Amino acid sequence: MNQQENVIRPLKHCQNDTLLMRLKKWRPLLWLIPFAVVFYIFQLSPMVWVVTNSFSDGTQPSLDNYREIFDSTFIQQGFSHSLWLALWSSLIGLLIAALLVSSLRHLNNRIRDAVIAFTNMSSNFVGVPLAFAFIIILGTNGALTLILRQLGILDEFNLYGRWGLLTIYTYFQIPLGALLLYPAFDALKKDWQEAAALLGANTRQYWFRIALPVLAPALFGTFIILFANAIGAYASAYALTLGNYNLITIRIASLVSGDLFLEPNLAAAISVLLIAILALVTIVNQWLIAQSDHTKSRPAKHRPIRRKNHAKHESDLP
């Protein structure tokens, strides 16, 4: 009996140790449960509802919502306006943000920290307050508008049309782009530019052949975030135009909250198409990142080495 107990006790200790190791291994997953619940309630469940109701006319499954979208010139115009604003505001905002972050690398730490703090603060200045500020500054009787008219620089500028919306969209894209690109520019080493200059490369060659290929993944990733941020913007555009400019987000809101034209199923179908556009842009972005990734290891192609027998003496010859 004593011998059996001496054998069983170490086995129990081993089993307990194995159980503790398994609990420690799965413990991080337990912390993900609250996140998974929140993700399901606020992300997955609404998306499932939107997709399901987009294929329904309220009583039975139907494709009438999608037929109405492709037959409606007004809804297609909303898509084109939103895509135009998102594309150009993202490109302009990305360019200005890249120039801003690049110049910050040549400033001292105090000025750099002040600019980053201001950029962080201005990135949160969006929505209705931003629209109200633009109306005061660049509206029909705005302060800057009146000054530019007196100087003869600005004749006509409609803040409540396409170019006014492009201005306000670009404004809130720049701080976000700068915050996203700032860590990426730390990957550029100052020694690289000096080494390139020693090898005879000028500034343009350095940026196009060294810096931009390194920054390409960050630039593409920032562009897709800015594009999604712009195409989903609603509060600033609605506060500025009061819903009189045809944007797809304003159309979705009017179909969901309208008193006369309440069509949530049609709004769900428009949302599904908007999600599909963003998914397509994301896939293209990931493909471009994969094509421009110069840091991944690529197997070198070696040619088979052919050994030749060199005769040192006449006796070695066949």
Side-chain angles (χ1 to χ4, degrees), residues 77-279:
Q77 185 189 51
F79 271 106
S80 64
H81 286 172
S82 295
L83 290 173
W84 186 88
L85 284 173
L87 177 62
W88 286 108
S89 65
S90 300
L91 289 175
I92 298 173
L94 182 66
L95 177 61
I96 297 176
L99 294 175
L100 173 63
V101 174
S102 177
S103 63
L104 287 178
R105 300 175 66 246
H106 303 284
L107 300 176
N108 57 49
N109 294 332
R110 182 175 299 178
I111 299 177
R112 186 188 311 164
D113 294 340
V115 173
I116 292 299
F118 174 77
T119 304
N120 190 14
M121 180 187 66
S122 59
S123 64
N124 297 313
F125 187 63
V126 294
V128 178
L130 179 63
F132 181 68
F134 266 77
I135 291 173
I136 294 176
I137 297 174
L138 289 173
T140 305
N141 295 316
L144 185 59
T145 304
L146 295 177
I147 293 174
L148 293 177
R149 283 178 181 173
Q150 290 179 358
L151 296 176
I153 299 176
L154 183 66
D155 293 333
E156 293 183 1
F157 177 73
N158 184 16
L159 180 65
Y160 313 104
R162 166 179 287 192
W163 298 107
L165 285 172
L166 179 61
T167 303
I168 193 172
Y169 272 52
T170 304
Y171 177 83
F172 67 70
Q173 295 279 55
I174 294 173
L176 179 60
L179 292 176
L180 293 174
L181 288 177
Y182 182 74
F185 272 76
D186 289 338
L188 297 179
K189 307 298 181 183
K190 294 182 179 180
D191 299 340
W192 294 354
Q193 189 169 6
E194 296 175 358
L198 290 175
L199 293 174
N202 53 28
T203 303
R204 183 181 62 84
Q205 290 174 333
Y206 164 74
W207 278 103
F208 279 94
R209 296 192 177 186
I210 299 175
L212 287 181
V214 174
L215 294 173
L219 292 173
F220 289 137
T222 303
F223 173 78
I224 192 64
I225 294 176
L226 295 180
F227 186 86
N229 183 47
I231 203 170
Y234 168 73
S236 299
Y238 184 82
L240 191 66
T241 63
L242 297 178
N244 294 323
Y245 192 80
N246 189 14
L247 292 177
I248 199 61
T249 51
I250 294 178
R251 296 282 67 78
I252 293 174
S254 64
L255 292 172
V256 172
S257 60
D259 296 332
L260 298 177
F261 304 100
L262 183 62
E263 298 183 57
N265 295 323
L266 180 59
I270 297 174
S271 301
V272 169
L273 292 179
L274 197 60
I275 294 172
I277 292 173
L278 291 177

Side-chain angles (χ1 to χ4, degrees), residues 20-35:
L20 290 175
M21 291 295 294
R22 289 180 179 178
L23 289 176
K24 289 181 180 180
K25 182 179 179 181
W26 293 100
R27 186 182 298 173
L29 293 178
L30 297 177
W31 296 102
L32 292 177
I33 293 177
F35 171 77

Side-chain angles (χ1 to χ4, degrees), residues 1-15:
M1 292 295 293
N2 293 331
Q3 292 180 353
Q4 291 181 354
E5 290 180 356
N6 293 332
V7 174
I8 292 173
R9 285 177 182 176
L11 290 175
K12 289 183 177 179
H13 286 298
C14 292
Q15 291 177 356

Side-chain angles (χ1 to χ4, degrees), residues 305-312:
I305 299 175
R306 297 180 179 176
R307 296 183 179 180
K308 296 182 179 180
N309 296 323
H310 297 281
K312 296 181 180 179

